[in-house]
Amino acid sequence: GNSVTQMEGPVTLSEEAFLTINCTYTATGYPSLFWYVQYPGEGLQLLLKATKADDKGSNKGFEATYRKETTSFHLEKGSVQVSDSAVYFCALRDLGPNSGGSNYKLTFGKGTLLTMNP
Amino acid sequence: ETGVTQSPTHLIKTRGQQVTLRCSSQSGHNTVSWYQQALGQGPQFIFQYYREEENGRGNFPPRFSGLQFPNYSSELNVNALELDDSALYLCASSIDRMDGYTFGSGTRLTVV
């Protein structure tokens, strides 16, 4: 079945540091890949997405490139801010023929908490 | 756009009881999905409704059921509540199954 593995947190950084959150996936078909962000007490917000190999998703200074050869979709940001403190989820949506009848569901990783040094 | 609204925001129920959670989707969104997010975990897919019909289901028992209404609202019903049902329940809607999803803020259910 489909699965998403992302680096465990928490990730603690100083303001303006470089951020990388690793994400790898296993899928039976041709997935679309997503990063969602969850701020404390809130639901999920779509941060960026990529629908095919070599696509780069970007938003609010965050970027991730769909790497089919390494089955990865790592999230990066060049200079994090205090306001970026949140939990980040990598997810896939597999639209392939063997996706088990729930073609449009999202499969999420366990999430990575980003906190900032005071 | 009014976003996706879920109610109630918090709920405490006793083991064995039944609960109904509600979601109001954006106008025109004919697809709604429900997810369960246990503490410290990623959301798990419960099921999806497309044009008022169940369109897919995750690994959840039949005591989890749902409805979608023509006015873009939906319900998640859980019977015979168990302690492990304590979680944040998220509703997500989209214009179509292929589109991106907009998530609500969730309902925090605690079963005691």
Side-chain angles (χ1 to χ4, degrees), chain A residues 31-51:
Chain A
S32 296
L33 301 174
F34 305 83
W35 277 100
Y36 280 85
V37 58
Q38 187 174 36
Y39 298 101
E42 298 185 12
L44 302 176
Q45 297 178 25
L46 177 63
L47 183 58
L48 53 84
K49 66 179 181 180
T51 57

Side-chain angles (χ1 to χ4, degrees), chain A residues 34 36 38 41-46 49 89 93 95 101-111, chain B residues 35 37 40-45 48 55-58 88 90 97-101 103-106:
Chain A
F34 305 83
Y36 280 85
Q38 187 174 36
E42 298 185 12
L44 302 176
Q45 297 178 25
L46 177 63
K49 66 179 181 180
F89 292 95
R93 185 174 65 201
L95 301 180
S102 299
N103 286 1
Y104 307 100
K105 73 172 184 177
L106 291 167
T107 300
F108 287 88
K110 291 187 176 182
Chain B
Y35 289 80
Q37 186 180 12
Q41 301 295 314
Q44 298 290 316
F45 176 74
Q48 181 180 85
N55 184 51
R57 189 175 185 92
L88 179 69
L90 296 165
R97 291 171 294 179
M98 299 286 288
D99 204 357
Y101 293 102
F103 280 82
S105 297

